[in-house]
Amino acid sequence: MNAVLPRRRSQAWTLANCLTYGRLAAVPVVVGLLFWPDEIGARFAAFAVFVLAGITDYLDGYVARTYAQSSALGRMLDPIADKLLVAACLLMLAADNTIAGWSLWAAIVILCREVLVSGLREYLAELKVSVPVSRIAKWKTTVQLVAIGFLVAGPAGETVLPGTERIGIVLLWVAAALTIWTGWDYMRAGIKHVIDDPR
């Protein structure tokens, strides 16, 4: 008689991964709500969804570490979810002129750095080289999310906290400065492997 083996629970549906899926699902929701930039209710709703998505960015990593739910799928999707959320919000905020003028350069720097680091990480992965996330990079992510949160709130936030958009723009420039710093750190850490690659 064959023994019945317990079914192994799929790593795809751990709590940590489900939080990441939630952040991915939040992207089209926030984008859809930002199609009505002058509607106070829509901006408040977009802000609420963005904040929840930002919270999952911390929670999924915490849950994965605390409850041993780390997986290859989670490690792949987590940075993708972060970059999609940030890029989509920056594009929508630029489209409705919440980010305008010289401040567009801050958004461009952030987006270019994300592409640069993603390309570098992809190349280094082929060489079996990992580039750990630095403490400054974590601060950059935090400042970036807070800045975008203020800007997503936009005119709705102004009704509660006058100067909301100005605070968001200042923090966006701080995030851009940290982006340049961390981008250089990643390049410096990875360039040696690129130069020494014999292929």
Side-chain angles (χ1 to χ4, degrees):
M1 185 175 178
N2 294 330
V4 178
L5 298 176
R7 180 179 295 179
R8 185 180 177 186
R9 187 175 181 182
S10 172
Q11 286 292 308
W13 296 105
T14 61
L15 176 57
N17 283 345
C18 286
L19 290 169
T20 302
Y21 302 151
R23 193 156 70 261
L24 285 168
V27 175
V29 176
V30 174
V31 168
L33 291 168
L34 289 176
F35 265 103
W36 293 275
D38 297 324
E39 291 290 333
I40 299 299
R43 293 297 282 243
F44 272 129
F47 174 72
V49 174
F50 181 83
V51 169
L52 287 174
I55 291 172
T56 67
D57 186 30
Y58 166 76
L59 284 181
D60 60 7
Y62 174 79
V63 169
R65 290 188 302 271
T66 304
Y67 299 101
Q69 294 183 1
S70 180
S71 66
L73 179 63
R75 288 191 297 274
M76 178 191 75
L77 288 180
D78 184 61
I80 291 174
D82 294 342
K83 289 171 175 56
L84 286 177
L85 183 63
V86 167
C89 287
L90 287 176
L91 288 172
M92 293 303 295
L93 292 168
D96 70 17
N97 288 321
T98 300
I99 301 174
W102 286 101
S103 296
L104 285 170
W105 283 105
I108 290 169
V109 165
I110 290 170
L111 290 175
C112 287
R113 182 265 189 194
E114 299 298 349
V115 173
L116 175 68
V117 172
S118 293
L120 180 63
R121 281 183 176 277
E122 182 178 345
Y123 181 81
L124 292 177
E126 295 180 9
L127 304 180
K128 309 299 183 189
V129 175
S130 64
V131 182
V133 178
S134 66
R135 185 180 296 272
I136 296 295
K138 292 179 180 179
W139 275 105
K140 182 272 301 179
T141 300
T142 300
V143 174
Q144 191 171 272
L145 290 175
V146 172
I148 295 174
F150 272 96
L151 294 172
V152 166
E158 294 285 349
T159 64
V160 177
L161 176 64
T164 291
E165 290 186 37
R166 180 169 296 183
I167 294 170
I169 292 296
V170 170
L171 289 175
L172 190 69
W173 279 106
V174 173
L178 291 174
T179 288
I180 294 172
W181 186 353
T182 57
W184 170 247
D185 280 347
Y186 280 122
M187 283 297 295
R188 187 174 56 185
I191 198 69
K192 179 181 182 298
H193 299 285
V194 174
I195 293 173
D196 293 343
D197 183 10
R199 290 180 298 172

